[in-house]
Amino acid sequence: MINRNIPLPHFEKKSPNIWDIPTSYKEGMRVPARIFASEELLKDMDLAVFDQLTNVACLPGITTPALCMPDGHSGYGFPIGGVAAFDVNSGVISPGGIGFDINCGMRLVTTNLTLKEVRPKLHKLVDLLFERVPSGVGGHGFVKIEKSQFKDVMREGARWCIDNGYGWDEDLNRIEDFGRIEHADANLVSDKAISRGFNQLGTLGSGNHYLEIQHAADIFDAKTAAKFGIHSPDQICVMVHCGSRGFGHQIATDYLKVFHDVMKREGIAVRDPELSCAPFSSKEGQNYFKAMACAANMAFANRQVILHRIRECFKTVFEQSPEKMEMNLVYDVAHNIAKLEEHNVDGKKKKLLVHRKGATRCFGPGRQELAPALRKIGQPVIIGGSMETGSYLLLGTEKALEETFGSTAHGSGRTMSRTQARGEVRGEQLQKDLEKKGIYVRTASYSGLAEEAGFAYKPISSVVDTMHEAGISKKIVGFKPIGNIKG
Amino acid sequence: MPYKFIENVTRADLCFEATGKNLTALFQSAADAVLAAMADVRSIKKKITKKVIIEAETVEDLLYNFLEEIIFLKDAENLVFADAQVTVSPDQKKATATLFGDTVSPTTQKLHQDVKAVTRHYYKVEKNGEWKTQIVLDI
């Protein structure tokens, strides 16, 4: 039923890491599809990636190539790793280009603790975090609020958390959009979405979501790393990956239904129903954009209260204040979102609606969207790897602004389906194997753990090297896991 | 429970194919697949009963909305289910279901994935002798 007869494209090699699929590949393509990948990574991509990316290239109002990052793999609608910029007047907004998990993102926190100090207490720390940060199916968070208060969260995002004692003022400068997207309008969110999400603040969810204790094993650029508070390879950091939970999922579901009717009205045809969209300038398109911002703010708040919980757990285990342990936020990035941004197109500044689905904003120095301290350096980019292979801190570049609308990869990207990975290893065995490698894992689901095994993912170093060599995002630090809470 | 999870459709998410000799059987199969994606149903006690009534104009919307309701209840009421008994009306516009399950309890239940959504990725419900659908769940 699902189209499996996907022809292998003829790729036009633009550079060692850039490949184009021309518009002749598929009827209706308005622009080429462009893939950032080494030759090896390109060969490993599944055909559905090319099918999905070229479907994106058919959408109304796309005026520059549909992009896929090197961690690209097939999902639904857009491929994961997809980036597409649309004209604000003639273009569309598509929930399938953002994902159901609106503002799924990453957060990186430093400590001044060393591997030697943390290793003896690692089990205690991971067990406590596992208990205090709920993960897995459903799950209610520790922040107990009424539905009316949840509307404040939708409007205020991470700011709401700081005002209510869940974090430090300075955290806000280290969050994309300062943790609050202004155009959020709570009146455009259904009661169903609120019912689904108001009790989930402070939860990780499942799939590839996690909370990880790491050390800064490979420092590639010591000067920049120091600016972000990372100084030595034995330094302990914490990484979090999660999003807007059921709240965001329901908003996407609600608006896909709305857009179904809008497409009939506007005469818009798409190749895959999951690419349902509405003209960005239409009332429905604007309503979704504002509702999406509510989910994005909830996700910023979710990661913020989790950071608060992490600081509490470290305080309990190491009997020091989080301030003394220098538990500072390096940055919080969104990798499932659409944003209005100004970019240079053919030498002219143009306002575009940039969709990033499984792709991270990576602005170089000078952009006004960054806090003053970061404006001089560039944006930190957090790339989450599998629980075995490690993760990265990168830096946005000016070249990214020229080539990818300031976008880069978001993770390692899967090479194997979930069903296949589950057939290869049992979660219980994987947990034991990881422990032998010095990685202590707690999980809410052993089958889910098996699906996230390292062998199910591309080598993350190939992904970040591709973007480093292409000049899109520079390698700053590579992290190795020692403890993981898997959703 | 004629359903099976399928590889090579999507790497990030979970795809299943469900069949049934009639629409009621198809809905039953699809519900079984969604419940199995979320938990080992044998580990879920049937302590709580939820009645669900869904109406829609098309068979596609009816099945989509029905499965979406199961996912909604998981988040909104923190429930997972061991079983769903479904009936589709003869005019194919109404699905009535009774869901049997329990509150989420990671320590006593074998839980799998926190399904985010039912997607419409190349979504179709077809009748060719028997009823058949293929659905991608967002994980």
Side-chain angles (χ1 to χ4, degrees):
Chain A
M1 296 179 85
I2 289 178
N3 178 14
R4 293 196 200 135
N5 299 315
I6 304 163
L8 181 69
H10 169 71
F11 296 103
E12 290 177 3
K13 188 174 183 177
K14 296 286 175 184
S15 80
N17 289 313
I18 301 177
W19 311 80
D20 273 10
I21 305 174
T23 53
S24 56
Y25 174 72
K26 184 182 277 182
E27 195 185 337
M29 280 176 70
R30 296 165 193 261
V31 292
R34 180 166 295 167
I35 296 155
F36 288 76
S38 62
E39 194 159 0
E40 206 171 318
L41 286 174
L42 186 74
K43 277 182 192 161
D44 276 348
M45 282 184 182
D46 48 328
L47 282 174
V49 172
F50 312 130
D51 183 43
Q52 292 174 6
L53 191 64
T54 49
N55 285 346
V56 174
C58 298
L59 289 173
I62 187 163
T63 52
T64 47
L67 309 177
C68 183
M69 302 294 115
D71 51 338
H73 56 287
S74 55
Y76 50 83
F78 277 46
I80 318 292
V83 177
F86 294 85
D87 183 272
V88 291
N89 297 311
S90 64
V92 293
I93 184 165
S94 172
I98 292 158
F100 282 91
D101 196 3
I102 297 165
N103 190 6
C104 184
M106 307 289 308
R107 186 169 269 231
L108 175 66
V109 186
T110 61
T111 76
N112 59 14
L113 302 173
T114 63
L115 197 52
K116 205 174 162 187
E117 289 168 312
V118 171
R119 186 63 86 183
K121 294 182 174 177
L122 182 64
H123 280 225
K124 192 178 173 188
L125 176 64
V126 171
D127 289 345
L128 186 62
L129 285 164
F130 184 69
E131 180 196 313
R132 307 295 301 275
V133 183
S135 58
V137 175
H140 287 182
F142 64 91
V143 181
K144 304 294 176 202
I145 54 173
E146 299 297 322
K147 287 182 180 177
S148 57
Q149 288 173 289
F150 189 64
K151 290 193 173 179
D152 296 333
V153 175
M154 287 185 228
R155 280 186 283 263
E156 299 301 322
R159 173 86 256 171
W160 179 90
C161 305
I162 307 303
D163 291 346
N164 286 275
Y166 300 109
W168 305 340
D169 270 336
E170 55 266 39
D171 293 339
L172 297 177
N173 276 334
R174 294 302 186 132
I175 306 175
E176 207 169 302
D177 296 308
F178 304 93
R180 173 180 182 265
I181 296 179
E182 282 183 15
H183 58 258
D185 185 345
N187 296 317
L188 298 169
V189 171
S190 69
D191 289 341
K192 200 169 181 179
I194 295 170
S195 298
R196 204 171 152 187
F198 84 103
N199 50 28
Q200 291 191 324
L201 262 184
T203 59
L204 279 178
S206 77
N208 57 1
H209 293 167
Y210 62 80
L211 190 168
E212 193 165 88
I213 314 296
Q214 313 169 331
H215 69 104
D218 301 300
I219 298 179
F220 302 102
D221 177 344
K223 203 173 157 188
T224 308
K227 288 177 185 168
F228 296 141
I230 297 170
H231 305 280
S232 71
D234 63 350
Q235 186 175 343
I236 295 297
C237 294
V238 186
M239 198 172 273
V240 178
H241 178 209
C242 63
S244 51
R245 310 286 289 111
F247 180 59
H249 311 165
Q250 190 62 42
I251 288 174
T253 300
D254 290 343
Y255 277 90
L256 275 169
K257 285 177 192 166
V258 172
F259 285 8
H260 185 66
D261 295 336
V262 174
M263 285 172 52
K264 276 187 197 160
R265 186 188 74 205
E266 302 283 335
I268 301 172
V270 290
R271 287 178 174 270
D272 174 1
E274 198 56 42
L275 285 172
S276 278
C277 55
F280 182 58
S281 56
S282 68
K283 185 184 165 199
E284 293 86 353
Q286 286 295 303
N287 286 355
Y288 171 63
F289 191 52
K290 292 169 189 169
M292 180 208 71
C294 292
N297 286 343
M298 186 275 185
F300 285 135
N302 190 31
R303 293 194 288 273
Q304 181 64 39
V305 297
I306 288 174
L307 167 59
H308 175 73
R309 212 71 208 238
I310 292 167
R311 284 173 174 153
E312 282 183 343
C313 290
F314 268 76
K315 184 181 172 186
T316 302
V317 172
F318 297 100
E319 297 173 338
Q320 293 181 57
S321 74
E323 289 85 353
K324 197 175 173 198
M325 287 183 279
E326 296 175 357
M327 296 189 71
N328 300 318
L329 183 57
V330 175
Y331 209 58
D332 176 307
V333 295
H335 55 223
N336 275 6
I337 202 158
K339 287 189 168 180
L340 264 182
E341 293 169 0
E342 201 171 73
H343 290 281
N344 283 324
V345 180
D346 299 328
K348 287 181 187 168
K349 281 191 176 175
K350 195 174 176 188
K351 209 164 228 187
L352 295 166
L353 182 69
V354 182
H355 290 63
R356 295 188 182 94
K357 182 187 181 186
T360 314
R361 192 186 77 175
C362 75
F363 283 174
R367 290 289 297 215
Q368 294 302 306
E369 289 93 336
L370 304 177
L374 294 175
R375 219 172 282 162
K376 295 173 195 157
I377 310 166
Q379 184 204 309
V381 174
I382 303 152
I383 306 286
S386 78
M387 62 199 150
E388 293 182 67
T389 52
S391 304
Y392 284 83
L393 173 65
L394 310 180
L395 184 71
T397 66
E398 283 169 4
K399 194 166 182 200
L401 292 164
E402 292 162 19
E403 303 246 344
T404 60
F405 304 106
S407 312
T408 191
H410 85 306
S412 22
R414 296 187 72 92
T415 55
M416 198 180 273
S417 72
R418 294 183 173 278
T419 315
Q420 198 182 347
R422 225 184 303 138
E424 298 278 332
V425 69
R426 285 179 58 81
E428 291 87 342
Q429 186 58 47
L430 181 62
Q431 186 184 42
K432 284 178 193 159
D433 293 346
L434 288 169
E435 176 114 42
K436 281 181 198 159
K437 291 181 187 172
I439 307 165
Y440 178 54
V441 181
R442 292 290 307 270
T443 182
S445 162
Y446 281 105
S447 60
L449 185 70
E451 291 173 21
E452 295 299 318
F455 58 74
Y457 282 88
K458 301 176 193 184
I460 191 167
S461 55
S462 306
V463 171
V464 296
D465 284 347
T466 296
M467 293 317 249
H468 183 84
E469 286 160 19
I472 304 294
S473 44
K474 285 172 64 183
K475 286 198 291 186
I476 306 299
V477 180
F479 301 94
K480 293 281 179 231
I482 59 165
N484 184 298
I485 287 143
K486 171 70 203 58
Chain B
M1 53 165 206
Y3 71 84
K4 59 179 177 184
F5 290 104
I6 298 175
E7 291 177 21
N8 301 325
V9 171
T10 168
R11 283 185 179 172
D13 301 300
L14 199 56
C15 180
F16 71 84
E17 184 180 278
T19 55
K21 62 182 187 304
N22 53 41
L23 264 189
T24 289
L26 175 76
F27 275 51
Q28 185 68 56
S29 305
D32 289 345
V34 171
L35 299 187
M38 293 199 277
D40 179 344
V41 294
R42 294 166 301 185
S43 72
I44 311 291
K45 289 186 176 146
K46 296 179 184 177
K47 282 186 181 172
I48 294 167
T49 303
K50 295 295 288 188
K51 283 267 184 197
V52 171
I53 297 173
I54 304 289
E55 291 178 300
E57 284 302 308
T58 66
V59 169
E60 276 86 4
D61 286 348
L62 192 66
L63 179 59
Y64 180 92
N65 293 348
F66 167 56
L67 298 178
E68 195 222 320
E69 189 65 18
I70 295 175
I71 294 166
F72 170 76
L73 289 168
K74 174 258 300 172
D75 286 329
E77 301 192 22
N78 210 25
L79 297 174
V80 277
F81 300 103
D83 192 16
Q85 297 296 327
V86 202
T87 310
V88 179
S89 64
D91 67 359
Q92 305 180 351
K93 292 189 174 180
K94 186 175 178 182
T96 308
T98 309
L99 307 171
F100 305 92
D102 198 0
T103 306
V104 171
S105 168
T107 51
T108 59
Q109 298 157 345
K110 268 187 156 179
L111 300 171
H112 296 159
Q113 286 295 357
D114 192 25
V115 177
K116 293 174 185 169
V118 182
T119 79
R120 287 181 182 262
H121 182 54
Y122 289 115
Y123 171 58
K124 273 181 191 163
V125 179
E126 288 176 343
K127 189 184 178 193
N128 190 3
E130 64 175 1
W131 287 89
K132 189 174 176 183
T133 191
Q134 213 177 59
I135 292 176
V136 173
L137 300 173
D138 185 358
I139 300 298

